[in-house]
Amino acid sequence: MIKVQPVYRGRVVNLDVETVTLPNGATVELEIIHHPGASAVVPIREDGSVLLIRQYRHAVCGFIYEIPAGKLNPGEDPRDCAQRELEEEIGYRATAMEPLLSILTTPGFTDERIHLFRATGLVRGKQDLEADEILEVVAVPLAEAIAWIAQGVIQDGKTIIALQAVYLNELRALRQAQGERGSEGRGSEVRAKNRRGQKPGGAKPLTTDL
């Protein structure tokens, strides 16, 4: 870092023009937005559906589908932030908050990092919306939410990544469970064939005949 020129200090972000020397030796000026980071959470109900919010976003001039999310307060743990935003935005708390992954939103010009979580064991809390939060809560089956991504209904980046992470984790768990059941079934077949003096795969039993 050679020089930092502060341009704007805001409630959510700060903008600087930073003069830096890159790994290739070139010296350039970069416009960098600094962000405190955020948490976002996929709330999952007992029936397996997910709770999304349909929220008005002035920046894109309309309503979009998202998962609950919000910026970190100074020194706040991302898990605590996820729990706070979950209750404030949709009026639920989670008895289990599982970390999924963290993402860099647009590293070409900002250091914003969002921590993604999966929330289960939902219990009623108290919704507490801010003046600029215009939203409704929508329950959607997870598979349908994934289809909405392909159809362009869901376009928000953090929401797409978080929903896909949850979906892939559930597929992985399902395949593992099916594999274990399949292994148990194959094991039972082997034991049954051994009791009959057979080898698995249709092989003849060994004898002492020459």
Side-chain angles (χ1 to χ4, degrees):
M1 183 83 67
I2 298 176
K3 184 176 70 174
V4 177
Q5 178 186 345
V7 176
Y8 173 77
R9 294 292 180 263
R11 179 174 59 89
V12 178
V13 299
N14 297 326
L15 171 62
D16 294 332
V17 174
E18 301 181 1
T19 304
V20 299
T21 300
L22 301 178
N24 64 359
T27 298
V28 298
E29 286 189 349
L30 300 174
E31 298 172 356
I32 302 296
I33 294 175
H34 294 285
H35 188 281
S39 291
V41 54
V42 180
I44 302 180
R45 302 198 304 177
E46 288 186 3
D47 63 2
S49 62
V50 298
L51 294 177
L52 302 178
I53 58 176
R54 182 176 176 270
Q55 182 167 2
Y56 180 78
R57 293 294 193 183
H58 173 73
V60 295
C61 302
F63 285 86
I64 63 173
Y65 286 98
E66 301 179 61
I67 55 175
K71 71 181 182 69
L72 296 167
N73 290 328
E76 186 176 27
D77 184 273
R79 187 188 301 267
D80 294 336
C81 177
Q83 190 75 264
R84 174 174 56 79
E85 291 294 336
L86 179 67
E87 183 170 17
E88 288 179 358
E89 293 196 353
I90 69 171
Y92 282 92
R93 292 188 60 80
T95 57
M97 188 72 71
E98 173 194 349
L100 293 169
L101 69 158
S102 295
I103 61 171
L104 296 170
T105 57
T106 43
F109 61 83
T110 181
D111 57 3
E112 181 186 19
R113 182 184 297 271
I114 302 181
H115 307 276
L116 305 178
F117 292 86
R118 173 181 181 269
T120 54
L122 302 181
V123 294
R124 281 287 185 181
K126 181 180 179 182
Q127 190 181 46
D128 186 19
L129 298 177
E130 297 182 9
D132 63 348
E133 291 180 317
I134 304 169
L135 59 84
E136 61 176 319
V137 182
V138 181
V140 184
L142 179 57
E144 184 173 350
I146 296 298
W148 282 7
I149 295 172
Q151 296 163 6
V153 177
I154 297 176
Q155 298 183 347
D156 177 62
K158 68 180 180 298
T159 301
I160 291 172
I161 294 172
L163 287 172
Q164 289 179 334
V166 169
Y167 187 67
L168 289 174
N169 286 346
E170 292 199 359
L171 281 181
R172 189 177 299 114
L174 177 61
R175 288 171 181 169
Q176 182 178 353
Q178 290 174 338
E180 290 174 355
R181 287 196 295 270
S183 296
E184 292 174 0
R186 288 191 295 272
S188 299
E189 180 184 353
V190 169
R191 288 191 294 272
K193 289 184 176 180
N194 285 341
R195 284 195 297 270
R196 295 195 301 268
Q198 295 179 345
K199 288 288 185 179
K204 300 273 177 108
L206 291 176
T207 68
T208 56
D209 296 338
L210 297 178

